[in-house]
C-alpha cells in the first residue's frame, strides 16, 4: 500500500510543495514545530533512511541544503536544523526546521496548522527559492 507521502507526491492527497524534481520533493508538514518546518522526501518509497541508496541519499541532502537557504531567507533563524526521525510515516523523510535553540527540536511543540497558513508559508519559501535561482520551486 502506498504511503501517505506517495499519495501526496502523486496528487491523490493535497500537499503544499516547495520543491519538486524527479527524485525528491519538499512539502510543508501539517503539524510544524515552527513556521517553515518542511519535509524533504524521496519519490521512491524507502522505509528506513539507512536503506536509501547512496546516490539518492546524497541528492536528498543536496535538496535539503537548497531548501534550507530558502528557509534562511524567509525566517532568518540562527540555523536550519535537519533531522531524521522516521517513526510517524514508513517513508524516509528529512525534517527541516528553522531553529534558534535546541528546544526547537521538540516534537511535542508540533501544532496542527490550517491549510491556508501552510499555503502562505509554502508560497513565501517558493518565492525565496525562485529568487535564489531554483526552478524546482516552480511546483506550487
Amino acid at each position: 500500500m502506498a504511503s501517505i507521502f506517495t499519495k501526496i507526491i502523486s496528487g491523490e492527497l493535497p500537499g503544499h510543495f516547495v520543491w519538486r524534481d524527479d527524485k525528491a520533493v519538499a512539502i510543508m508538514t501539517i503539524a510544524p514545530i515552527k513556521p517553515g518546518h518542511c519535509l524533504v522526501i524521496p519519490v521512491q518509497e524507502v522505509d528506513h533512511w539507512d536503506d536509501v541508496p547512496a546516490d539518492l541519499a546524497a541528492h536528498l541532502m543536496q535538496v535539503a541544503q537548497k531548501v534550507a537557504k530558502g528557509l534562511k531567507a524567509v525566517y532568518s533563524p540562527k540555523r536550519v536544523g535537519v533531522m531524521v526521525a522516521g517513526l510517524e510515516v514508513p517513508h524516509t523523510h528529512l525534517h527541516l526546521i528553522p531553529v534558534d535553540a535546541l528546544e526547537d527540536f521538540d516534537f511535542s511543540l508540533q501544532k496542527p496548522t490550517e491549510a491556508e497558513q501552510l499555503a502562505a508559508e509554502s508560497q513565501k519559501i517558493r518565492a525565496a527559492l525562485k529568487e535564489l535561482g531554483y526552478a524546482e520551486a516552480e511546483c506550487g
Side-chain angles (χ1 to χ4, degrees):
M1 187 160 121
S3 78
I4 191 166
F5 293 152
T6 296
K7 291 178 181 181
I8 292 169
I9 292 166
S10 71
E12 292 176 56
L13 293 174
H16 301 281
F17 290 80
V18 298
W19 183 278
R20 182 188 290 266
D21 64 34
D22 60 334
K23 297 178 188 173
V25 300
I27 61 172
M28 305 305 296
T29 182
I30 60 171
I33 293 174
K34 291 189 73 172
H37 181 174
C38 60
L39 308 173
V40 176
I41 308 164
V43 172
Q44 176 186 350
E45 273 190 42
V46 181
D47 186 358
H48 297 272
W49 68 269
D50 54 329
D51 291 331
V52 174
D55 60 329
L56 181 55
H59 182 75
L60 293 175
M61 188 56 72
Q62 290 167 351
V63 170
Q65 288 177 322
K66 292 171 184 175
V67 173
K69 291 180 187 335
L71 295 176
K72 286 179 182 179
V74 173
Y75 302 101
S76 302
K78 285 187 179 179
R79 299 272 193 261
V80 174
V82 61
M83 183 178 357
V84 179
L87 295 172
E88 59 281 356
V89 178
H91 188 151
T92 295
H93 55 287
L94 309 178
H95 291 264
L96 296 182
I97 309 166
V99 298
D100 295 306
L102 283 175
E103 294 80 23
D104 294 336
F105 289 101
D106 184 350
F107 278 90
S108 72
L109 300 174
Q110 287 183 295
K111 295 178 189 141
T113 302
E114 295 294 326
E116 296 78 22
Q117 182 64 36
L118 295 174
E121 298 297 328
S122 67
Q123 192 281 328
K124 289 189 280 188
I125 297 165
R126 282 194 317 275
L129 290 169
K130 289 177 195 175
E131 192 167 307
L132 289 166
Y134 300 122
E136 295 87 352
E138 298 284 345
C139 57

